[in-house]
Amino acid sequence: MRNEGIVELYAPRRTLIGRDGITKIPHFLQRLSSKCVLVVTDKGLIKVGTAGKVTAVLDNANIQYVVYDGVEPNPTTRIVYDALHFYQEHQCDAIIAIGGGSPIDVAKAVSILSANGGKIQDYNGYNKSKKRGTPIIAVNTTAGTGSECTRAYVVTDEETKTKMLMVDTNCLAHLALNDPMLMVGMPPSLTAATGIDALTHAIEAYICNTHTPYTDALSLEAVRLVSGSLRDAVRDGSNMDARTNMCWAEYMAGLAFSNAGLGLVHGIAHQLGGFYNIPHGLANAILLPRVLEYNRPYCMGRLATVAQAMGEKCDNLSVDQASKKAIEAVRRLCDDVKIPKLCDTKFRMEDIDVLAEHALEDTATQTNIVRPTLDDVKTILAKTYYEGIVLKTVQK
Ligand SMILES: [Fe+2]
């Protein structure tokens, strides 16, 4: 099934992809006539010097800025208000987000709140803000989240421990920037998890019930690029060809899911993030093969095409056989880049009921190719958990 209605397409206002792209940031800030920029990032990116590469560009161009580095994975309402307070205190008029999904999500929240006022809960849902947000330059440092090119952001409500998904055209970045030089120092485990997150975006957008010809093209090329380059990027982080391919893959996959939708992998992964603070990319990577097995009967033809995009030889196979090849290829890729198992995380089987209930309500689940039941989600979680335990027992 595809989206047959009138389709509105979304993209950042401008995009830069390529080596040393960050050197172009002053040009964009000057065009905005910015007086003071809020840089939103996290302490890890300060420590490894990634944020410093961007602020050095600002220093060289005599651009005034202040740095908020309090962002943590799965950002909460408290972090959003801390960053907003910093923005207001220093009378900023533009935002540079440096990071993966979390700093960019916080930047989007500050962008909307600084322009519209109110509480972040007021914007939970679709297009709840009235005014265009404060301009964001979204500098991506991981090749996975796609957050720099989407109109979505996620904030965890600390009181309810649930993730709020805001989908808002007013938070689209003024400039989305993917510079592979910023990704050179990313550790292999993060490269792997965020890379599989990009693959998940591409596959979920391709098999969801609201895909379009536009998102199909983006998805399949992203699948091809991840399959061909992620292993190399994990093995040798300084491989610029692999890093650049992953920049393209993650951006195209981001555009695909931003304009189509996601599915049950993200619907469950959002709960694992909210409950246990499991990093988003890792949660998706752990769940992807098992959810694809669940979805396969409803999208065999599409998964057969995914198998071909992943380089599988399917010429003499039935659609049924080829669709299984796609899942085998995903499992192989996850194993090759050393994705851990669910039993290696803080997940606890006793939480399975509440996790499944929340997953069913998650916005991402609404566009899954088939509507799952509570038992379906519980079975997926249980199988994912126990298959890891069995594997470890066998390996001992
Ligand atoms: Fe994702």
Side-chain angles (χ1 to χ4, degrees):
M1 181 173 34
R2 80 175 197 200
N3 192 337
E4 298 291 354
I6 297 170
V7 177
E8 187 175 356
L9 300 175
Y10 306 95
R13 200 178 172 98
R14 294 277 189 280
T15 296
L16 290 175
I17 298 177
R19 197 170 175 157
D20 296 324
I22 59 170
T23 59
K24 305 290 182 195
I25 291 175
H27 167 71
F28 284 86
L29 285 171
Q30 279 148 13
R31 276 168 47 179
L32 285 170
S33 304
S34 171
K35 301 269 188 304
C36 184
V37 187
L38 174 71
V39 173
V40 179
T41 188
D42 61 45
K43 290 188 172 56
L45 289 167
I46 297 274
K47 194 174 168 193
V48 299
T50 307
K53 289 178 185 169
V54 179
T55 53
V57 170
L58 303 181
D59 289 333
N60 286 339
N62 288 319
I63 288 168
Q64 195 177 342
Y65 64 90
V66 288
V67 177
Y68 174 81
D69 65 0
V71 178
E72 293 168 11
N74 299 307
T76 59
T77 41
R78 178 191 61 76
I79 289 171
V80 165
Y81 291 126
D82 282 354
L84 177 67
H85 180 70
F86 218 66
Y87 174 96
Q88 290 165 335
E89 189 182 11
H90 294 278
Q91 299 180 334
C92 299
D93 51 20
I95 305 167
I96 297 178
I98 305 170
S102 300
I104 297 176
D105 277 5
V106 171
K108 287 175 180 172
V110 173
S111 164
I112 292 297
L113 287 169
S114 58
N116 290 273
K119 305 192 302 289
I120 191 64
Q121 284 86 350
D122 299 338
Y123 305 103
N124 191 5
Y126 281 88
N127 285 329
K128 293 287 179 73
S129 72
K130 292 206 163 44
K131 293 184 202 159
R132 193 180 178 86
T134 302
I136 301 172
I137 294 179
V139 181
N140 190 19
T141 60
T142 67
T145 68
S147 189
E148 81 285 8
C149 59
T150 73
R151 61 190 171 120
Y153 58 104
V154 179
V155 175
T156 301
D157 189 323
E158 282 171 317
E159 284 180 20
T160 61
K161 273 196 160 185
T162 54
K163 289 205 158 196
M164 296 180 288
L165 175 66
M166 280 62 79
V167 182
D168 194 337
T169 314
N170 283 331
C171 75
L172 279 164
H174 179 79
L175 172 67
L177 206 161
N178 277 304
D179 182 342
M181 290 299 286
L182 292 184
M183 298 163 190
V184 166
M186 228 192 335
S189 58
L190 186 60
T191 301
T194 53
I196 301 290
D197 187 22
L199 180 70
T200 309
H201 295 154
I203 295 178
E204 291 214 291
Y206 189 65
I207 63 175
C208 77
N209 58 23
T210 42
H211 65 90
T212 66
Y214 171 71
T215 58
D216 287 350
L218 292 165
S219 293
L220 287 179
E221 183 61 8
V223 167
R224 195 183 67 76
L225 286 166
V226 174
S227 305
S229 294
L230 182 58
R231 289 178 180 87
D232 291 339
V234 170
R235 198 179 305 121
D236 175 10
S238 63
N239 181 330
M240 289 310 294
D241 286 343
R243 290 288 191 198
T244 304
N245 281 341
M246 286 305 299
C247 281
W248 282 105
E250 86 93 37
Y251 183 77
M252 295 172 79
L255 278 185
F257 88 78
S258 185
N259 286 284
L262 287 165
L264 187 56
V265 181
H266 275 77
I268 304 175
H270 288 153
Q271 316 319 316
L272 296 181
F275 259 69
Y276 311 113
N277 223 14
I278 298 173
H280 174 73
L282 187 58
N284 277 317
I286 288 169
L287 292 162
L288 179 61
R290 186 58 76 177
V291 176
L292 288 180
E293 275 170 14
Y294 169 76
N295 280 332
R296 193 183 72 86
Y298 311 96
C299 55
M300 278 197 272
R302 294 219 141 222
L303 280 181
T305 310
V306 168
Q308 288 171 321
M310 295 189 79
E312 297 295 302
K313 299 224 178 322
C314 302
D315 293 352
N316 299 315
L317 299 182
S318 66
V319 171
D320 179 52
Q321 290 169 321
S323 66
K324 287 179 182 164
K325 280 265 184 191
I327 300 171
E328 286 168 21
V330 167
R331 280 194 186 278
R332 227 170 27 245
L333 180 55
C334 288
D335 288 344
D336 288 351
V337 298
K338 298 188 171 48
I339 297 296
K341 304 295 178 193
L342 187 56
C343 58
D344 298 323
T345 71
K346 292 177 184 165
F347 168 81
R348 295 177 312 173
M349 276 300 288
E350 53 259 47
D351 297 331
I352 200 167
D353 287 292
V354 66
L355 286 168
E357 279 169 26
H358 287 182
L360 284 184
E361 291 163 16
D362 193 277
T363 308
T365 306
Q366 311 316 312
T367 46
N368 196 63
I369 186 70
V370 60
R371 176 81 192 149
T373 65
L374 193 66
D375 278 346
D376 291 339
V377 180
K378 286 164 66 176
T379 303
I380 288 167
L381 275 167
K383 281 184 172 175
T384 309
Y385 179 71
Y386 287 117
E387 78 183 356
I389 295 203
V390 169
L391 195 72
K392 279 176 183 274
T393 310
V394 170
Q395 284 170 345
K396 272 182 188 170

